[in-house]
Structures are given as C-alpha cells and as structure tokens.
C-alpha cells in the first residue's frame, strides 16, 4: 500500500524529520524489528521514493525480516562478547589483587617466622648460659662446702679417743655420705654442662654420655665416630650433644629398646648424627603430633642452623633419628 502524508506525519519524530521524509517522497516503507532472545534492540526502516516507482512486496518484507533477524543476532553477539571481555578483565584484576594480598600475607608470615627463629635461638643460647652458670655454682659452692665438711670430719676423727668407737663409726658413716654427695654434685654439674664438652670436645663427651646412659638404663649402647679434627664451634657442639641427650631420654622413656647405636660422621660439608634403637618404633602420628616439645625442640635447634632433621620408626623394629648440620666453618678451613 502507498504511504500517505498522514502516515508520514504520524511516524515523524519532529517537524524537521517530517520535512526530510516529505522531501524523500516516501512511497513505500517497511519497518522491521531487530529482535533477539525475546527483546527488541531497535528497528530498521526501509523506504523507497516515489521517483523509483517501486513498491515493496511480501517477498521484500520476508527478506528484510530475515536480514533484521541476522543483524539482531550479530549485534547481540557483539554485545555478549563485549560483556564477556569486561567480566574477564574484572576477574583478572580481582585475581591480581588477591595474589598481591596473599603475597603480602606470606611475606609477613615469613618475617614473623624468621623473628621467632631468632628468638628461639636467643632463648637457647641463654638457657645454655644459665645451665653453665648453675653447673659452676653447684660445683664450686656445694663442692667446696662438702670438701670443707669432709676435712672437718677427718679432724674430728683424729681428735676422738680410740675408746669412743661408736662416735668414730658415726664419723666414718658421715664421711662416706659426704663422699657420695660429692659424687652426686659432680654428676649434676656435669649433666648441666658437661665440662668435657668444652675441655675434650664432642666425641669423648658423647662416649661418656653413652656410658652413663648404659649404666643407668641397662640399654646396651654402641658408639661409632668417623669425626676427626672437624672444626665444630661451641654452639654446634652443644646442639649435637643436647640432641643426643634428648634422643637417649626418649629411647629410655618410650622405646622399650635393648640396644642403641649412635654414629657421628662427616660427609660433604655436613656433620651427621644418627641414633638408632631397636624398640617399638615411633609412629607417623607421634612424629607429626606437636603435643610434646622434645622432638619439636630438636627439630628447631637443627633448622636454626639450616640443617636437616628426620625421625622414622618401623613398628616392632625400632626408631632411627638422623640429623645433619652444615659445617660452615669446616668448609672455610678447607
Ligand atoms: N625412640 C622412640 N621410640 C618410640 N617412640 C618414641 C621415641 N621417641 C619419641 N617417641 C614418641 O614420640 C613422642 C614425642 O616425643 P617428644 O620427645 O617430643 O615428647 P616426650 O618425650 O613425650 O615429652 P618431652 O617434651 O618431655 O620430650 C613421645 O611421646 C613418644 O610417644
Ligand atoms: Mg622427649
């Protein structure tokens, strides 16, 4: 059907639009909607002017509708693509933000862990100093007082008449008791800080420790060392000795073992200490459980010096503890 002037007037947006439409001399028109996924994106208007003498047919309309459908699809796809791009960019930004947050948190954790390690190291050094001081005090003060008592007793014995046998017997008993006490004091002082650790070095101190352990626990000990002239500083020596003490205490307390083999070796810039018992065998959960401080303390002492700590058990066959400490000074000397 022809397009009438009323039709133009009713479809024009404003007077300027109407003027343009009239100028074109619109004769025939099609308005097809751009529809996709249930909503309309817009419309396409097609017109032919009077001059061309043409009129749109049903076929033209079908063609226009098909074109509009495809155009709408393309527009919609472009919009979806842009939205996806936008979401993607937002997501990437959020991921980057989270990564940065996590990295900051990790850095903070690492720095507090480093501080804790330093603190632990400091504590350990102080504890060793305290022990050494206590060992000295126990040894010197108690030792001297007891020696004084022993001399007094000797004096009393000398000045007691031979007729007073019961008194003399009493003095002898007292003197024996003072001797036992002196030995006790020496033992306690040595346990607090084995003097031979400083005087003789690690290997003899470990030998002595194992002899003592065997005497007291009845567990047979074997010690083997290939360590010769290795430059261990006082701290490394103390670490290794304390770890041996703790390991032996654990064997006596938990292992139900009849034998312990201890070996001390030097290999590729490391000194390694191995303590192997033939007891019930530590379990996985005992290794990872953190209720007790023995294993934790040993691990910490070793990690503080960038070493390795490992303990493993086989049920019914025993437990092997293995530690390695880097020999920083020893390497420098080579
Ligand atoms: N040689 C061993 N054989 C078998 N089990 C062991 C051995 N050493 C340790 N364990 C087990 O591992 C646990 C943890 O040992 P850890 O030395 O940390 O603690 P603890 O000896 O119980 O207490 P403490 O804090 O006084 O040392 C022990 O309770 C014990 O069950
Ligand atoms: Mg323990």
């Amino acid at each position: 059907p022809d397009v009438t002037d009323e039709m133009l007037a009713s479809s024009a947006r404003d007077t300027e639009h109407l003027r343009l439409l009239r100028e074109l001399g619109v004769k025939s028109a099609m308005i097809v909607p751009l529809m996709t996924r249930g909503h309309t994106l817009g419309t396409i208007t097609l017109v032919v002017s009077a001059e061309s003498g043409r009129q749109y047919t049903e076929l033209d309309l079908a063609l226009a509708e098909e074109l509009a459908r495809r155009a709408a699809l393309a527009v919609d796809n472009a919009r979806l693509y842009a939205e996806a791009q936008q979401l993607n960019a937002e997501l990437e930004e959020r991921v980057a933000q989270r990564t940065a947050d996590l990295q900051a948190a990790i850095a903070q954790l690492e720095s507090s862990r480093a501080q804790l390690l330093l603190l632990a190291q400091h504590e350990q050094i102080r504890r060793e100093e305290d022990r050494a001081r206590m060992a000295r005090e126990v040894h010197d003060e108690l030792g001297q007082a007891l020696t004084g008592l022993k001399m007094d007793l000797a004096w009393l014995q000398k000045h007691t008449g031979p007729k007073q046998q019961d008194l003399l017997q009493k003095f002898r008993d007292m003197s024996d008791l003072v001797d036992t006490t002196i030995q006790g004091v020496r033992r306690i002082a040595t346990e607090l800080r084995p003097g031979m650790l400083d005087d003789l070095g690690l290997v003899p101190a470990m030998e002595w420790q194992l002899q003592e352990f065997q005497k007291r626990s009845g567990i047979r000990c074997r010690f083997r060392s290939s360590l010769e002239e290795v430059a261990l500083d006082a701290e490394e020596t103390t670490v290794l000795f304390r770890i041996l003490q703790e390991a032996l205490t654990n064997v006596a307390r938990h292992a139900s073992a009849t034998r312990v083999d201890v070996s001390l070796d030097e290999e590729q810039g490391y000194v390694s200490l191995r303590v192997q018992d033939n007891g019930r065998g530590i379990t996985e959960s005992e290794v990872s459980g953190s209720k007790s401080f023995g294993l934790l303390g040993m691990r910490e002492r070793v990690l503080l010096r960038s070493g390795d700590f490992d303990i493993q058990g086989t049920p019914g066959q025993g437990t092997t503890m293995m530690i390695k400490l880097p020999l920083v000074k020893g390497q420098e000397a080579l």
Side-chain angles (χ1 to χ4, degrees):
D2 283 356
V3 174
T4 61
D5 195 55
E6 291 101 81
M7 280 171 158
L8 286 184
S10 69
S11 69
R13 251 174 281 136
D14 49 36
T15 48
E16 173 64 9
H17 192 201
L18 182 62
R19 194 182 58 77
L20 278 169
L21 289 173
R22 281 189 178 134
E23 215 168 87
L24 272 170
V26 174
K27 178 86 179 304
S28 180
M30 296 189 293
I31 302 176
V32 284
L34 288 167
M35 274 186 50
T36 178
R37 293 185 296 139
H39 50 256
T40 311
L41 303 173
T43 56
I44 298 179
T45 306
L46 296 155
V47 294
V48 279
S49 61
E51 297 157 27
S52 73
R54 272 198 63 208
Q55 254 199 354
Y56 286 128
T57 62
E58 283 295 319
L59 214 64
D60 291 330
L61 186 61
L63 184 67
E65 273 171 353
E66 180 57 20
L67 282 175
R69 201 181 60 76
R70 293 188 186 194
L73 205 65
V75 169
D76 195 41
N77 279 344
R79 277 192 187 172
L80 284 176
Y81 180 72
E83 263 170 40
Q85 290 279 79
Q86 171 76 18
L87 279 178
N88 203 15
E90 273 168 25
L91 202 66
E92 259 167 28
E93 182 161 338
R94 262 160 56 188
V95 168
Q97 181 62 44
R98 287 300 276 275
T99 309
D101 288 352
L102 274 176
Q103 269 162 356
I106 288 170
Q108 216 164 26
L109 270 178
E110 269 168 2
S111 110
S112 44
R113 162 117 186 115
Q115 272 173 347
L116 275 179
L117 280 178
L118 273 179
L119 196 68
Q121 191 168 29
H122 187 73
E123 283 292 312
Q124 247 151 30
I125 289 170
R126 203 161 58 190
R127 212 161 357 171
E128 287 298 335
E129 284 168 1
D130 284 350
R131 278 164 167 253
R133 186 177 43 73
M134 264 156 37
R136 264 195 318 274
E137 276 168 15
V138 165
H139 180 269
D140 295 356
E141 293 202 12
L142 290 184
Q144 272 165 26
L146 286 166
T147 309
L149 265 181
K150 203 169 147 56
M151 290 192 310
D152 287 350
L153 280 169
W155 186 89
L156 281 172
Q157 270 171 301
K158 218 164 74 187
H159 291 82
T160 304
K163 282 181 199 142
Q164 291 175 290
Q165 273 306 318
D166 47 350
L167 255 187
L168 282 171
Q169 185 57 44
K170 196 85 202 159
F171 288 147
R172 273 195 294 273
D173 290 349
M174 284 175 79
S175 183
D176 287 348
L177 185 60
V178 170
D179 281 341
T180 324
T181 313
I182 288 173
Q183 275 168 24
V185 163
R186 283 215 186 106
R187 186 175 49 78
I188 291 168
T190 315
E191 258 161 37
L192 278 171
R193 175 72 202 176
M196 57 182 80
L197 204 50
D198 303 319
D199 302 341
L200 301 180
L202 185 61
V203 173
M206 281 192 168
E207 264 163 6
W208 165 82
Q209 180 71 41
L210 282 165
Q211 276 164 21
E212 287 290 301
F213 179 76
Q214 179 166 310
K215 257 191 269 170
R216 260 181 285 159
S217 66
I219 300 173
R220 207 141 47 87
C221 297
R222 209 174 61 179
F223 181 60
R224 196 185 53 69
S225 165
S226 68
L227 224 59
E228 283 171 55
E229 313 263 330
V230 174
L232 291 171
D233 65 21
E235 254 176 68
E236 289 161 344
T237 305
T238 307
V239 168
L240 289 165
F241 190 77
R242 291 294 178 218
I243 286 176
L244 176 68
Q245 283 183 316
E246 175 60 29
L248 291 176
T249 308
N250 275 354
V251 172
R253 249 203 250 162
H254 310 294
S256 317
T258 58
R259 298 185 51 131
V260 193
D261 283 334
V262 177
S263 54
L264 194 63
D265 292 292
E266 190 204 344
E267 40 182 284
Q268 297 156 357
Y270 280 90
V271 57
S272 67
L273 170 69
R274 206 173 65 130
V275 180
Q276 185 171 25
D277 69 55
N278 66 346
R280 65 165 170 84
I282 194 169
T283 63
E284 286 280 331
S285 63
E286 285 170 325
V287 172
S288 52
S290 56
K291 307 187 288 315
S292 38
F293 293 100
L295 293 181
L296 218 62
M298 288 196 261
R299 196 187 296 275
E300 202 78 324
R301 275 179 187 271
V302 173
L303 295 186
L304 273 173
R305 286 162 185 83
S306 315
D308 284 337
F309 177 90
D310 184 48
I311 182 163
Q312 276 173 10
T314 314
Q317 300 205 2
T319 304
T320 303
M321 191 204 74
M322 182 85 187
I323 72 151
K324 278 179 161 196
L325 283 188
L327 274 173
V328 183
K329 302 229 167 67
Q331 269 179 335
E332 275 168 9
L334 286 179

